[in-house]
Amino acid sequence: MFKNKKMLLILAAVIIVIALAVAGVWKLTSSGSGEAGTTTTETPGGAKVSETDGTKSLEQTFYIYDTVVTIKVFGNNAEQKNMDDIQAMLERMDVQFSRTKENGEIYAVNQAAGKEAVVVSDETLDIIKLSIKYAEDMNGLYEPTIGPLVDLWNIGNGGEQVPDQGAIDAAKSLTNYKDIIIDDAAKSVKLAKEGMILDMGGIGKGYAADRIADYLKEQGLDSAMINLGGSSIIALGNKPNGSPWNIGLQDPDKNRGTQLGTIKITDEVIDASGVYERYFMQDGVRYHHILDPRTGFPSQNGLKSLTIMSPNATDADALSTGVFLMGVEEGMKYLESLPEQVEAFFITDDNKIHATSGIKERLQLTDPTYSFAE
């Protein structure tokens, strides 16, 4: 799979770092591994098999979506084939939804922008239609055609200075979800203007996490932790002993793995957006990767991070971007107005936590730096 030893060493180092931080933005503070009475082996396919108090678990790590993905499934029926199926699903979606992989369907749509429609698979059509729905619901704050601005700023991939205003205006002119043309009968997608770029980065991991959860449920496996690089996490069911999962919450001012508190979850998704992961500093201003399509600039609304909790990972992924751009007041009103049960907490620059009504009592703060807003 890897071309040389150097890549293997790099991957090993990344996995070690992630393991130490326990999966990036989030860390599982009580996973059940390493407890007394636990025995561990490894399958020929690479999954770590453990048994604790008579319950088997399989855990495997993959490098995909340009990040480390960890799947841990509990149940005596779990087997290596489940991990192989999940890996195949992830690899397929990673290619299909990528705007940079030349054999992907989103890449093909972007290459044909302003020229012709491209026939796509049901799965790709589904995620594009979902992205349009989120854009409509959030008045374009979630924007699936943000690609030209992402490429221009290139934050996290070498971009270290503010582009000139003319270039920003040009990229903004190519950013409009209303210029995505869907033909359901033909199963085709066309971008109206040459130079437009679809970017599923805002919901791709959440969508993949939901498909994995669906697959596990179909297999009769209803206790699992699905961690796609720390930014999209599904806690499927409860832990094998019936207790909820205990999740540590990342401190946005500290290194990965440093927590500000914990929360217990069951059958829930956790998703976060923050200004602390990818950014550069210029003239004392932090320019981060969360771009506002209205201005073409990174958002500057006093937020450090936003954490969304939802029954659905795709929803949570999209909301973590769109609601972040709304800011605290508008974002809280929007979330409270949704028909489905979605909870969130915002952390502002003054270290105050603004939480929706259904989550405040569940948050257990452990760092005195942070406190709830009045």
Side-chain angles (χ1 to χ4, degrees):
M1 180 177 179
F2 299 99
K3 293 182 179 179
N4 52 50
K5 291 183 180 179
K6 183 178 179 181
M7 289 187 70
L8 280 170
L9 291 171
I10 292 171
L11 174 58
V14 170
I15 291 174
I16 290 169
V17 170
I18 296 297
L20 290 172
V22 198
V25 177
W26 311 103
K27 67 174 183 177
L28 187 60
T29 58
S30 181
S31 66
S33 61
E35 297 174 358
T38 298
T39 58
T40 302
T41 59
E42 187 169 305
T43 69
K48 183 173 70 175
V49 183
S50 300
E51 186 170 326
T52 305
D53 297 329
T55 300
K56 184 173 76 172
S57 68
L58 260 70
E59 180 175 3
Q60 193 156 355
T61 298
F62 312 100
Y63 187 75
I64 202 163
Y65 277 99
D66 293 324
T67 191
V68 175
V69 175
T70 302
I71 311 292
K72 187 166 188 175
V73 182
F74 295 84
N76 293 328
N77 295 327
E79 57 186 9
Q80 180 64 50
K81 183 182 182 301
N82 301 131
M83 293 300 184
D84 294 342
D85 289 346
I86 289 170
Q87 182 176 10
M89 292 167 59
L90 287 170
E91 289 176 347
R92 184 188 71 248
M93 288 185 281
D94 184 33
V95 172
Q96 283 181 189
F97 305 155
S98 172
R99 63 189 180 89
T100 59
K101 290 182 169 62
E102 295 186 6
N103 53 341
E105 294 182 339
I106 296 296
Y107 180 89
V109 171
N110 290 338
Q111 290 299 299
K115 302 169 187 174
E116 59 187 5
V118 175
V119 176
V120 298
S121 64
D122 289 342
E123 203 165 41
T124 298
L125 190 66
D126 184 38
I127 195 173
I128 293 173
K129 290 171 72 173
L130 279 171
S131 74
I132 295 171
K133 175 185 177 296
Y134 293 129
E136 291 173 343
D137 290 348
M138 289 184 270
N139 294 319
L141 289 182
Y142 172 81
E143 177 53 76
T145 65
I146 196 76
L149 283 167
V150 172
D151 284 352
L152 177 64
W153 284 86
N154 204 29
I155 296 173
N157 294 295
E160 295 181 351
Q161 62 182 11
V162 177
D164 67 68
Q165 188 62 50
I168 291 173
D169 291 341
K172 277 178 58 185
S173 72
L174 297 171
T175 302
N176 191 339
Y177 71 91
K178 295 178 182 178
D179 287 331
I180 305 172
I181 303 166
I182 301 288
D183 186 331
D184 283 307
K187 295 184 179 180
S188 69
V189 183
K190 181 180 179 181
L191 302 179
K193 298 177 182 178
E194 190 169 353
M196 288 182 67
I197 302 173
L198 272 178
D199 186 336
M200 295 295 104
I203 61 171
K205 288 181 184 178
Y207 187 91
D210 281 334
R211 301 294 73 76
I212 294 169
D214 291 343
Y215 165 81
L216 290 173
K217 291 174 185 177
E218 290 167 3
Q219 300 299 308
L221 299 167
D222 57 6
S223 178
M225 181 63 64
I226 303 164
N227 184 338
L228 274 71
S231 59
S232 290
I233 290 182
I234 293 182
L236 195 62
N238 282 312
K239 293 165 67 175
N241 63 8
S243 65
W245 306 94
N246 194 34
I247 304 295
L249 304 174
Q250 170 71 22
D251 183 337
D253 282 336
K254 302 288 177 61
N255 294 328
R256 281 178 173 272
T258 305
Q259 66 181 49
L260 62 86
T262 62
I263 191 166
K264 289 181 170 61
I265 64 175
T266 295
D267 254 341
E268 257 178 310
V269 176
I270 251 178
D271 201 295
S273 287
V275 304
Y276 49 87
E277 290 290 337
R278 287 180 285 147
Y279 66 91
F280 66 86
M281 301 294 295
Q282 182 173 321
D283 299 327
V285 178
R286 183 194 298 257
Y287 293 94
H288 54 81
H289 72 287
I290 306 173
L291 300 175
D292 189 332
R294 297 170 296 187
T295 65
F297 279 77
S299 171
Q300 301 291 342
N301 60 8
L303 276 183
K304 286 183 180 180
S305 69
L306 165 66
T307 301
I308 297 284
M309 302 184 66
S310 166
N312 178 290
T314 317
D315 287 352
D317 215 357
L319 288 168
S320 69
T321 300
V323 174
F324 187 100
L325 294 174
M326 293 179 192
V328 174
E329 186 174 346
E330 184 184 347
M332 292 273 278
K333 289 179 181 177
Y334 178 80
L335 291 171
E336 298 280 11
S337 73
L338 294 175
E340 60 270 24
Q341 187 68 28
V342 177
E343 303 294 348
F345 65 90
F346 304 73
I347 301 180
T348 48
D349 287 339
D350 58 1
N351 294 333
K352 296 296 184 182
I353 295 176
H354 304 254
T356 53
S357 56
I359 199 175
K360 187 173 181 178
E361 293 182 1
R362 297 171 60 191
L363 281 174
Q364 300 297 315
L365 298 182
T366 56
D367 185 340
T369 304
Y370 296 91
S371 61
F372 288 104
E374 296 298 330

